[in-house]
Amino acid sequence: MALINCPECNKEVSDKANVCIHCGYPLHELQSETISNSQSKKVVIPSFKEYSDKKIHVIKVIREITGMDLSGAVSLVEQDIPIVKDGLSYNQAKEIADKFSKIEVEAKIFDSATTLTYVNPVKDKDKICCPKCGSLEYHTGSRGYSLFTGFIGSGKVVMTCLRCGNRWKPNN
């Protein structure tokens, strides 16, 4: 049990109390706000730096969700890691992700405390990252069997980006 200061009268009260014993201020609302802030989510979409047929639809959805003007929505979409909204409940984040899934764009939901990293493949030559999106999340495996080529080249190493699905051969 710890003592906290009441936001109304600034006197010490137990953190377990529902109301302040001095002034009657409801403390349970304050406690529920801190719980929801620790569980806040953010919605992230893929970057659309290059032209895509989905880019215009994504901009429309972003303007609808955030109320941004056209230039603000375009600059958001062209960022390395576009965070649409932060500080949402899970249900709000799921609603936004569903709006993007209707236009066939994968929106991911992360905790607000999660830091997302992006590596520029042109500048950072010493880090292994996806040459298409710069993500550090990838899977390394063999190419596998193909009906067209059979077992020819099935043992060659292929890297697959877990963010955008791009496949590439590692450079020696």
Side-chain angles (χ1 to χ4, degrees):
M1 182 174 108
L3 294 177
I4 59 171
N5 290 335
C6 172
E8 186 70 24
C9 65
N10 208 21
K11 293 185 179 178
E12 290 185 339
V13 186
S14 169
D15 63 342
K16 306 280 186 201
N18 290 332
V19 294
C20 176
I21 58 171
H22 304 286
C23 67
Y25 185 81
L27 296 173
H28 58 80
E29 292 175 7
L30 182 68
Q31 292 169 354
S32 66
E33 280 182 24
T34 57
I35 290 170
S36 66
N37 286 342
S38 66
Q39 297 173 348
S40 65
K41 305 289 182 191
K42 62 183 164 189
V43 178
V44 179
I45 59 170
S47 179
F48 286 93
K49 286 186 177 183
E50 301 85 27
Y51 176 76
S52 169
D53 57 340
K54 296 178 185 177
K55 186 175 184 177
I56 296 169
H57 300 293
V58 169
I59 292 171
K60 284 181 184 177
V61 172
I62 286 178
R63 289 186 70 192
E64 176 188 325
I65 293 168
T66 62
M68 289 182 171
D69 61 340
L70 182 62
S71 62
V74 170
S75 65
L76 175 74
V77 168
E78 292 177 349
Q79 289 179 0
D80 292 333
I81 301 176
I83 299 173
V84 177
K85 260 194 168 178
D86 199 353
L88 303 168
S89 69
Y90 179 77
N91 292 335
Q92 292 170 328
K94 184 75 174 137
E95 241 178 70
I96 292 173
D98 289 343
K99 287 183 181 182
F100 283 109
S101 67
K102 287 179 184 174
I103 58 170
E104 298 176 1
V105 172
E106 183 183 4
K108 295 186 180 179
I109 301 172
F110 294 99
D111 288 334
S112 290
T114 304
T115 49
L116 304 172
T117 56
Y118 170 79
V119 177
N120 189 339
V122 176
K123 292 180 183 175
D124 299 323
K125 296 283 185 187
D126 58 334
K127 294 184 180 177
I128 300 174
C129 62
C130 174
K132 184 177 178 185
C133 71
S135 172
L136 295 172
E137 300 172 17
Y138 56 87
H139 170 71
T140 306
S142 60
R143 196 173 92 189
Y145 178 80
S146 169
L147 290 174
F148 182 69
T149 60
F151 287 109
I152 299 173
S154 63
K156 292 186 179 180
V157 176
V158 175
M159 301 180 89
T160 306
C161 178
L162 298 176
R163 182 174 172 204
C164 69
N166 182 34
R167 294 174 60 112
W168 74 96
K169 295 177 188 175
N171 297 334
N172 292 335

